[in-house]
Amino acid sequence: MNTAATKTAASIALLALLGFGTVACSAPAESADSKSDSQSAAPEEVEEAPEPVDLTGEWKQTNSNTPESFQSAMIAGETIEVSWNSTDTKSLYWAGTVTVPEDAATSFTFDSVNDTSKTDSAMLASSDPTKTFTYADGELSYEVTALGTTMTVRLEKQ
């Protein structure tokens, strides 16, 4: 009988522990529900994804040696055209592609592919197959080599 009494006592103890465990487990669930109810009453802050940089528009050189002679660029969609500008003349320097990263980076570089259908017949156009452009702090920059001299041209959106 001792064995039967021990088994019965163990069973009762086990049931009692399970009962306490169930009560203990259900208590946090209720408080978690009450917390979520109070949190759902407050408006949720939804973080919107930042928009990619918009390069569309007219750009003008900020570091030219004279105000009468400068480069300018026009960006429309995924194309860019860069021109040499003088008092009464405008000559094509570059025509190519524009690629803006979709992750809304505030500074980036992209390699523009030359549109040779436009640049092949332009006397002052670059014949390079690609040109690297850098965008940072609202400025678009690239290197220009002419007559053996290389300089970095810096453009600002107008």
Side-chain angles (χ1 to χ4, degrees):
M1 277 300 239
N2 260 344
T3 308
T6 305
K7 285 183 182 179
T8 304
S11 296
I12 291 172
L14 181 59
L15 288 174
L17 286 174
L18 287 174
F20 286 129
T22 304
V23 170
C25 288
S26 66
E30 289 174 24
S31 57
D33 288 343
S34 64
K35 284 182 187 175
S36 67
D37 288 344
S38 66
Q39 287 176 352
S40 65
E44 288 184 29
E45 290 185 33
V46 176
E47 200 171 304
E48 291 185 29
E51 292 290 319
V53 173
D54 183 12
L55 300 179
T56 303
E58 293 183 46
W59 295 74
K60 185 176 179 184
Q61 185 176 2
T62 59
N63 64 334
S64 66
N65 292 331
T66 66
E68 296 85 28
S69 180
F70 59 91
Q71 284 201 332
S72 64
M74 173 59 81
I75 299 176
E78 295 180 353
T79 62
I80 183 170
E81 286 193 11
V82 179
S83 298
W84 297 101
N85 297 272
S86 191
T87 305
D88 293 324
T89 63
K90 187 174 186 176
S91 301
L92 182 66
Y93 168 70
W94 183 262
T97 58
V98 174
T99 307
V100 176
E102 293 183 21
D103 67 357
T106 55
S107 64
F108 54 88
T109 62
F110 63 91
D111 288 329
S112 178
V113 177
N114 191 345
D115 181 351
T116 55
S117 69
K118 294 180 179 181
T119 58
D120 279 352
S121 61
M123 200 164 168
L124 297 176
S126 171
S127 60
D128 294 337
T130 62
K131 180 165 288 299
T132 300
F133 288 83
T134 300
Y135 176 82
D137 300 322
E139 177 183 86
L140 193 61
S141 62
Y142 52 94
E143 288 190 345
V144 171
T145 301
L147 304 173
T149 302
T150 300
M151 74 172 285
T152 299
V153 173
R154 301 182 186 287
L155 302 176
E156 183 178 86
K157 196 171 186 179
Q158 300 299 293

